[in-house]
Amino acid sequence: AEPYYHQALTLYQDIPGTERDQANCLFNLATTLRKLGKPADAEPYYHQALTLYQDIPNTQRSQATCLFNLATSLSPKLDKLAQAEPYYHQALTLYQDIPNTEEQQANCLRNLATSLHERGKPANAEPHYRQALTLYQDIPGTERDQANCLFNLATTLRERGKPTDAEPYYHQALTLYQDIPGT
């Protein structure tokens, strides 16, 4: 798919009024590269797509998704975790103004918390895990996400020297994991 996105982008760039198509093409190219395990190659295309989306009315959802995917492209690399955090915040802010995006908001919060936790900031991660968990609990089909949040919240509390506070969250996570096929 990668070469076809490049070809489509080249064609769209020669057609006036196709900014949305160009942005979508850039976004899809970036996502393809990320899925191919090339996050560094994906990053500039997400930035280009975001720049185009920001000039197109009514693209807040696309902007938020682009920011989220950009952040997840940066997150696997420990040296870029700090760079990912503002993108999660920006995506979250946009999603909060879009109806029916609670799951996307929860994903932003969970990933932001994980980024903070991995950077050695468990106290900063804790409230984000709690907020994500609250959102996930109202969304059907997110039991795995809930269990992951519970487990990560418990680990965060344990690392902060609060093993007694962590224990019930580990038990809740275990209970959920036991009900999820394949875990």
Side-chain angles (χ1 to χ4, degrees), residues 61-112:
R61 182 183 287 268
S62 296
Q63 291 175 47
T65 304
C66 195
L67 285 161
F68 179 81
N69 286 358
L70 175 59
T72 59
S73 292
L74 295 169
S75 291
K77 296 184 175 202
L78 195 56
D79 62 325
K80 293 202 173 199
L81 284 173
Q83 290 177 10
E85 290 168 18
Y87 296 126
Y88 285 127
H89 281 291
Q90 292 172 35
L92 178 62
T93 299
L94 285 170
Y95 279 132
Q96 288 172 333
D97 290 333
I98 301 168
N100 303 314
T101 60
E102 289 78 10
E103 187 169 359
Q104 290 85 354
Q105 293 173 46
N107 291 339
C108 284
L109 288 161
R110 185 191 65 211
N111 286 12
L112 176 59

Side-chain angles (χ1 to χ4, degrees), residues 130-172:
R130 290 184 187 280
Q131 290 175 311
L133 182 60
T134 299
L135 287 170
Y136 282 132
Q137 288 172 334
D138 291 333
I139 304 167
T142 61
E143 290 78 12
R144 184 180 304 273
D145 295 310
Q146 291 174 47
N148 290 339
C149 268
L150 287 162
F151 179 83
N152 291 334
L153 176 58
T155 302
T156 299
L157 289 166
R158 183 181 47 96
E159 288 176 4
R160 293 186 60 214
K162 300 178 179 182
T164 306
D165 293 344
E167 187 177 342
Y169 294 111
Y170 280 127
H171 286 292
Q172 290 175 40

